[in-house]
Amino acid sequence: YDALISERCYKVALGRDADPEGLKYWQDKLDNYKYCGAQVGYGFIFSDEYKATNTSDEQFIKDLYKMFFDREPDQAGYDYWMGQMKNKTSREEVFAGFANSDEFFDLCSASNVARGIYIPGYDLEKQGGINGFVARLYKVCLGRLPEKEGHEYWVNKLIAGEKTGTDVSRE
């Protein structure tokens, strides 16, 4: 796991360097497949510490770009997301757009982190566990991180109750 991602989350979302205990907490979540990258991002951007900053929608979008893509927003993308927020799209739904993006998948893959998928409104601990379970199966059984489509497919099947953990491990 690339600690630079956690460091960036701390700096962008919390405006400070990571404390050793906090950094270990997030690394353990990823290393032990309790969460994937999407759930870790949620943990920062929806933390009480971040919420206490009362960030404007404009800054929220900029923070998501920096945290998830490690760059400033392009104008077209920024305008799109601001339009979504003005049309009453929730911050959680906007967050999901970033967390589930191909660009974040590529960044996670380059850092040897399973991106996972984020599902708005679904319990974070449960989805973290399901995402981690699928990523762990790929790593143990296939010796690699999951590809985007496969990870999304299995997580969605498990959450919908269409497959059990046993089914997924057999297939």
Side-chain angles (χ1 to χ4, degrees), residues 70 80 104 126:
D70 195 24
Y80 170 80
F104 184 54
K126 288 180 183 175

Side-chain angles (χ1 to χ4, degrees), residues 7-80:
E7 285 291 337
R8 187 172 59 249
C9 288
Y10 271 95
K11 287 184 182 192
V12 172
L14 307 182
R16 63 180 174 83
D17 289 335
D19 57 281
E21 299 83 24
L23 189 59
K24 182 180 180 334
Y25 171 83
W26 292 111
Q27 285 180 310
D28 286 347
K29 287 274 195 189
L30 287 166
D31 292 345
N32 295 311
Y33 295 101
K34 292 180 181 169
Y35 279 4
C36 288
Q39 288 76 40
V40 169
Y42 184 96
F44 280 92
I45 208 76
F46 289 104
S47 68
D48 290 340
E49 192 172 345
Y50 183 80
K51 288 179 186 176
T53 64
N54 293 318
T55 305
S56 67
D57 289 344
E58 293 81 7
Q59 189 61 50
F60 178 73
I61 297 296
K62 290 176 184 177
D63 289 347
L64 290 174
Y65 268 95
K66 191 67 177 163
M67 198 167 90
F68 284 100
F69 304 156
D70 195 24
R71 65 177 175 86
E72 297 300 318
D74 57 281
Q75 193 62 53
Y78 178 81
D79 291 345
Y80 170 80

Side-chain angles (χ1 to χ4, degrees), residues 141-159:
C141 298
L142 302 175
R144 63 177 173 84
L145 290 174
E147 76 282 355
K148 180 179 170 289
E149 294 79 13
H151 194 122
E152 290 174 358
Y153 174 82
W154 291 116
V155 168
N156 284 318
K157 291 293 185 185
L158 287 164
I159 287 174

Side-chain angles (χ1 to χ4, degrees), residues 66-126:
K66 191 67 177 163
M67 198 167 90
F68 284 100
F69 304 156
D70 195 24
R71 65 177 175 86
E72 297 300 318
D74 57 281
Q75 193 62 53
Y78 178 81
D79 291 345
Y80 170 80
W81 288 113
M82 284 305 302
Q84 292 297 304
M85 298 214 59
K86 287 179 181 163
N87 287 327
K88 306 294 184 216
T89 301
S90 72
R91 284 188 174 197
E92 186 178 12
E93 292 169 316
V94 170
F95 167 87
F98 281 81
N100 296 334
S101 69
D102 290 342
E103 189 170 349
F104 184 54
F105 177 85
D106 293 343
L107 185 66
C108 285
S109 294
S111 298
N112 200 34
V113 172
R115 181 202 70 181
I117 62 169
Y118 179 76
I119 300 155
Y122 193 78
D123 180 82
L124 184 66
E125 292 299 319
K126 288 180 183 175

